[in-house]
Amino acid sequence: MTVAQTEPAADGEEWEAGRPLWVFGYGSIIYRVDFPVEDQVFGFIRGRKRAFLQDSHDHRGTEAAPGRVCTLIPHREWNAMFPADRANPRRDVCWGVAYKVAAGKEQTVKRHLDYREKDGYTEDFVDVYTQPGKPPVLRQVLVYVGVSSNPSFAGPSSLEDTARIIARAAGPSGTNREYLFHLCEALRARRADALEPYLARLEALVKQLV
């Protein structure tokens, strides 16, 4: 594994052809990498919490019975939605994998990911860290996020309600619980403390139901 810097892009600037393309995966992209890569970095991003608050109509559910998949919630929005479970800026980081797309395949992979993440996801850019208190090892890495204003955003939901949906939902890409279980397994395999308490509790609730 080679830790390398990306060529920085300005905040909000879209990825441009000719630049290296790094993609940060925090959900299914962690374990289902269906595009060519030449490097990867396991690390974390700051300021956002991973949460199963995005409805899935095309992968892990259907239009009639949507499933629930991951998105990233800024801490300030999380605190407004869940005031009894406020985010801790130092502790609440989101671990995932940044993948460097194989050279020459960037445009093809970008089109593929745009389609794969079409159900409410938009592009954003994040810095990726590997150690607390250290500078980021990657800057302005592309990430797909279901922001709270997108039509597939589920809104505030208790863990119990979310678990019930995940336990029963299924779609063209498989069961919703498979998505959750594979994600938890992939994070544990990478680092013991990469699985945040939210995911661990959700996994336990779904396992009780199924």
Side-chain angles (χ1 to χ4, degrees):
M1 178 184 72
T2 303
V3 177
Q5 294 282 349
T6 61
E7 180 181 347
D11 288 344
E13 182 179 345
E14 294 184 0
W15 174 81
E16 295 178 357
R19 287 181 174 162
L21 177 58
W22 286 83
V23 180
F24 184 75
Y26 60 92
S28 62
I29 288 178
I30 292 179
Y31 64 84
R32 190 167 74 87
V33 188
D34 56 355
F35 52 91
V37 301
E38 64 180 45
D39 201 357
Q40 61 180 272
V41 173
F42 182 67
F44 60 87
I45 62 173
R46 300 183 185 278
R48 311 191 198 197
K49 285 177 72 76
R50 173 174 30 218
F52 276 72
L53 295 180
Q54 181 77 358
D55 284 340
S56 177
H57 307 90
D58 59 348
H59 284 297
R60 302 292 174 166
T62 65
E63 288 290 341
R68 285 286 180 85
V69 290
C70 289
T71 187
L72 295 172
I73 309 296
H75 285 178
R76 65 183 181 279
E77 291 188 21
W78 177 273
N79 293 341
M81 289 189 289
F82 303 102
D85 183 26
R86 296 180 63 83
N88 182 313
R90 292 186 178 181
R91 183 191 65 227
D92 291 329
V93 300
C94 176
W95 287 90
V97 183
Y99 292 103
K100 185 180 183 183
V101 175
K105 301 293 185 181
E106 294 92 348
Q107 289 181 295
T108 300
V109 170
K110 179 65 167 52
R111 287 193 295 269
H112 165 69
L113 290 174
D114 286 347
Y115 182 79
R116 174 174 166 173
E117 306 298 328
K118 68 184 184 298
D119 190 7
Y121 288 89
T122 52
E123 297 175 20
D124 201 351
F125 295 88
V126 293
D127 294 344
V128 178
Y129 302 79
T130 57
Q131 297 181 60
K134 300 291 185 181
V137 296
L138 295 168
R139 294 185 182 274
Q140 293 294 305
V141 175
L142 175 66
V143 65
Y144 289 87
V145 180
V147 299
S148 58
S149 59
N150 90 84
S152 293
F153 188 69
S157 176
S158 71
L159 275 178
E160 292 76 13
D161 287 344
T162 302
R164 282 190 284 271
I165 292 169
I166 292 173
R168 67 171 184 262
S173 295
T175 65
N176 205 168
R177 60 181 178 269
E178 177 186 58
Y179 175 107
L180 170 64
F181 295 160
H182 284 340
L183 174 59
C184 293
E185 290 165 4
L187 287 168
R188 285 195 186 97
R190 294 271 188 166
R191 182 183 169 111
D193 62 351
L195 187 69
E196 61 266 39
Y198 170 94
L199 277 188
R201 294 196 299 268
L202 184 58
E203 178 190 38
L205 286 171
V206 173
K207 285 185 173 179
Q208 289 175 9
L209 293 171
V210 301

